[in-house]
Amino acid sequence: MPMKNMVSLTIDGKQVTVPEGTLIVNAAKQIGIDIPVFCYHPKMEPVGMCRQCLVEVGRPVIDRATGQAVLEADGSPKIQFGSKLETACSTPVSDGMVVIGTSPKAVAGRKDILEFLLTSHPLDCPICDKGGECPLQNLTMRHGPGQSRFVYDEKMHLAKKLPLGELIYLDRERCIQCGRCVRFQDIIVNDPVIAFTNRGRGMEIFSCSEPGFDSYFSGNTTDICPVGALTTADFRFEARPWELCTTASICPHCPVGCNLSVNLRREARANGEVVIKRIMPRQNESVNEIWICDKGRFAYHYTQSKERLTQPLVRRDGELVAIGWDEALSYVAENFVHAGKNFLALASGRLSNEDLFNLSELANGLGGKSALYTHMAGGDLVAQVGVGKATNLSDLGKGSVILVVASDLKEEAPIWWLRVKQAAERGATLIVANPRHTKLERYANQVVRYPYGSEATIVLAMINTMSAKQNFPKAPKFQQGGEAVKTAAEAISAAENLIVFYGSEGIGLEASQALAQACANLLLATDHVHKVNNGLIAVWPRANDQGAWEIGYRPLSNLKEAFQQYEAVYVAGANPAGDDPSLVEAIRNAGFVVVQDLFLTETANLADVVLPAQPFTEREGTFTTGERRVQRFYPGVVRPEYKPDYAITAAISKLAGVNVEAAPLRIFNHLTAKVPAFNGINYRLLAQVSEQWPIIGRSDLYYGGTSYANAQGLGVHLSLPAQTPSLAWPQVSELNLPESMLLAVPVTILYDRGRTVISNGLLHQRIPSPYIELHPTDAQRLGFNDGAQLQFTMGDVLAKAKLHVSDQVPSGVALVPRSLGIPINSPTIIELTVV
Ligand code: SF4
Ligand code: SF4
Ligand code: FES
């Protein structure tokens, strides 16, 4: 990128040099001068609507004849101040500019604007959720008039408790019409579901979507609303901001790893316990900037659910009964030792790096095996050609290409969707390859369609299209694709940077491994590996799947066999029987099964011993994001009666005679010494921060909103191996089904019936009942109407679902959302009948 010219100016007597085009408000921020704003937000273009940022601006007088600055008698440049105040949020700096924000004229201007804003503001701070962290309240105290000259009865009185949707409430009286919320929805996330209506003092926000405020990002508007007009249904009237304490955390719901602040309060109605009152974003400009999705914000109630397991259970006479920890752990250890090499630890990417490392140490110590519970593969390739140090999606723009294949990013990893959208808007070439329309396509330069089952083939076809010109072996047997493949291949060949996201839309374990290999080949063939802002990213179903692969975990091809084959199976953070009821018999008949989880899941119900674990909010640890960034999370709620996964495993290991650490720092140090990708990383490095832009989180909440500044660590990328791997062509089998058959393919949706989502009642309206989607021609051929209740067999299970007819679905397939009550993890032929 070309370097911008630098310009120097003076603000309130302080010199600053900034790039040309910088706005006065941001130049001031860089030297610690806060110019109050309401409508301006550093993540959005200025609109100059509120006039709160008025300043006096002077510019050097230029002699027309010579083009030189006119000088005063003392040799300093002569400065001409405008007769009117100017808005610091929309005025770019210029060389020699003099800005005064503290003059009586500027101060009076701000005071007047505040007085106008308050003419119709209820000033109900004592009962307002924003009170205590409200820019309007703070600025009124600092700049506002002590008394109003307006007659109270002339205030506009408007609706005070208006649900814009089930998650966000609007208090219309409090709205100062800054437009931040509308612009966020419109420009940043392109969900224009709220808008202004009416004019003047009567201007109001309303929701123009059905259902109301239909956006995955709605909660962010409550952070950037500079008053208490927008509040979340979750936090409304729940606590005052000054009563809250905060702990730093990482979102556990998807591979993005958004940085969070967990707000807590000790309260009487929870019997004096500390409880979580809300989840807020924490700034990490390389991960989530200052945003989080609504799932990350609202799906935390499961951590304090009354249904959580409270003590170990053991099966006696066929029933699970409560026992003490000591007894449970001894019993478990005894059986694990007995199993020896027939011991299997089956864990998911829900667990932290420390948990997973301890589990694999135990398995190794016993001579057994550890395996990953997942429906998606390819993490071994991501570990070799994934993204590394200094990679930041925010740096992608013109010259970069992003390929997203087999993933509906908005559903699977909403903040990645947002960041890819923004990269496309900055000029990056976006190629979306998917059998059906997804919401990312709106920003794509090229859309590549392929039939479900041909994910890897289409990527290999791209390589073959290029191989005529470039020097690498052709993928065996794959012919050049159509025009779309050719155009995509040309863009990829010419790309300065290439990031490839691959997901598991429509595929299972085996096909996702083939797809990952095809994508890795594409990166290798075009020399886009081991460079900043290049590499492969897997859109994993869980937060720490990549960490598990990096530590050495691999999935098993046949779980049924595994439960029969191993004498003892230690299942941690996974619910195979819930996801696939056809495993129930195998688990029931297995030798010795221990389940470590938060809830009495379907699998726990079949276990010999059940051990209660702790959620991410109660313990510390690290997750590795899909971008291979290791990030630390900290305990918020302290519950000594519970144990984190790593500690339970350590206690069992001790009894089993296996040497395993019990403290997270020591576990992490062992992990980093043993696993090369983690070499050199330590907790201290993970906790390091450097200043980020925009500067947020200080007392000037009017600037960036209530997102928290990051004082607890920005995380560190894992390293990549020194050698790049060589090309290896995947085994790809195409699905050639007769037309009369219907292939059910799994897709992922954000709000599913998983425990994390379902335990917040506020989200229930967003969780669909089980459904499948068919193309109209298939529905017609089969004689089904939209909305019909259908039934079909999936594995050993008889499933029921409502029919959605949609022309976005390719014909010949039935889309089946994962985790919605229908047990699907890979493509399956189904026969539908009406109930
Ligand atoms: S609701 Fe808040 S963010 Fe939206 S226009 Fe009103 S004051 Fe601004
Ligand atoms: S995008 Fe993913 S990591 Fe970020 S808040 Fe949403 S669910 Fe959590
Ligand atoms: S006009 Fe500058 S902040 Fe609103």
Side-chain angles (χ1 to χ4, degrees), residues 129-186:
D129 283 304
K130 201 83 169 186
E133 54 182 12
C134 174
L136 180 64
Q137 189 181 41
N138 295 353
L139 291 176
T140 302
M141 297 305 288
R142 198 176 309 160
H143 303 281
Q147 273 194 330
S148 174
R149 286 176 286 160
F150 283 78
V151 181
Y152 177 80
D153 290 345
E154 285 178 1
K155 276 187 190 270
M156 295 281 290
H157 292 293
L158 298 166
K160 285 195 74 66
K161 192 190 174 199
L162 194 76
L164 286 179
E166 72 280 22
L167 297 177
I168 309 293
Y169 275 89
L170 169 68
D171 184 317
R172 279 193 169 141
E173 282 190 350
R174 293 181 190 154
C175 174
I176 58 166
Q177 307 168 346
C178 71
R180 276 184 176 189
C181 56
V182 174
R183 286 182 289 134
F184 171 83
Q185 286 300 136
D186 206 358

Side-chain angles (χ1 to χ4, degrees), residues 558-629:
N558 190 330
L559 278 183
K560 217 178 248 180
E561 264 176 31
F563 277 102
Q564 282 155 2
Q565 176 191 342
Y566 288 93
E567 190 182 318
V569 185
Y570 184 6
V571 183
N575 181 15
D579 297 338
D580 181 1
S582 70
L583 291 171
V584 166
E585 273 318 296
I587 299 173
R588 201 194 304 279
N589 297 327
F592 180 72
V593 177
V594 177
V595 171
Q596 194 165 288
D597 214 314
L598 299 181
F599 296 95
L600 193 63
T601 61
E602 288 86 345
T603 313
N605 244 322
L606 301 167
D608 296 284
V609 180
V610 181
L611 302 172
Q614 273 185 311
F616 73 110
T617 47
E618 293 175 14
R619 33 83 42 103
E620 68 173 311
T622 57
F623 287 143
T624 306
T625 72
E627 291 179 78
R628 304 183 72 250
R629 179 182 287 266

Side-chain angles (χ1 to χ4, degrees), residues 291-523:
W291 317 120
I292 52 173
C293 77
D294 287 351
K295 184 171 178 178
R297 188 181 298 265
F298 297 116
Y300 66 86
H301 290 236
Y302 74 97
T303 63
Q304 34 204 26
S305 161
K306 294 260 179 304
E307 289 169 31
R308 263 180 64 187
L309 291 164
T310 53
Q311 51 187 327
L313 307 171
V314 68
R315 190 166 300 279
R316 290 209 175 118
D317 302 326
E319 298 291 318
L320 284 172
V321 294
I323 55 165
W325 272 105
D326 290 347
E327 203 185 338
L329 295 175
S330 305
Y331 180 48
V332 168
E334 198 181 298
N335 278 278
F336 285 178
V337 170
H338 188 267
K341 64 180 178 16
N342 285 318
F343 167 83
L344 171 69
L346 182 65
S348 83
R350 256 169 54 194
L351 302 192
S352 76
N353 293 315
E354 294 75 4
D355 302 333
L356 290 164
F357 183 71
N358 265 10
L359 272 171
S360 68
E361 288 291 276
L362 170 63
N364 292 342
L366 293 169
K369 185 181 168 80
S370 48
L372 182 63
Y373 177 75
T374 181
H375 65 256
M376 183 173 163
D380 48 341
L381 293 159
V382 180
Q384 296 179 71
V385 299
V387 298
K389 240 188 182 141
T391 293
N392 185 346
L393 297 178
S394 294
D395 294 338
L396 302 181
K398 219 168 168 32
S400 299
V401 172
I402 304 174
L403 168 65
V404 179
V405 53
S407 174
D408 186 352
L409 264 193
K410 195 164 188 179
E411 299 292 329
E412 296 170 33
I415 292 292
W416 275 348
W417 171 88
L418 177 59
R419 304 195 80 212
V420 169
K421 164 194 176 280
Q422 289 171 334
E425 287 167 344
R426 285 190 298 268
T429 301
L430 174 61
I431 302 164
V432 175
N434 205 295
R436 63 175 176 122
H437 174 87
T438 62
K439 293 198 181 99
L440 191 61
E441 270 178 37
R442 208 185 293 179
Y443 315 98
N445 303 74
Q446 187 64 48
V447 173
V448 179
R449 289 267 180 264
Y450 58 84
Y452 280 105
S454 300
E455 303 70 21
T457 310
I458 208 77
V459 177
L460 295 173
M462 286 179 200
I463 304 177
N464 276 1
T465 305
M466 299 169 196
S467 61
K469 289 179 234 147
Q470 299 195 12
N471 186 22
F472 53 82
K474 269 195 162 198
K477 91 184 169 174
F478 298 105
Q479 302 306 312
Q480 294 190 358
E483 236 0 81
V485 167
K486 205 162 154 232
T487 316
E490 273 165 15
I492 289 169
S493 305
E496 193 183 319
N497 301 309
L498 173 63
I499 297 270
V500 181
F501 286 90
Y502 78 97
S504 58
E505 159 122 1
I507 51 178
L509 209 50
E510 220 175 291
S512 59
Q513 183 70 40
L515 174 60
Q517 184 67 64
C519 295
N521 286 0
L522 183 68
L523 286 152

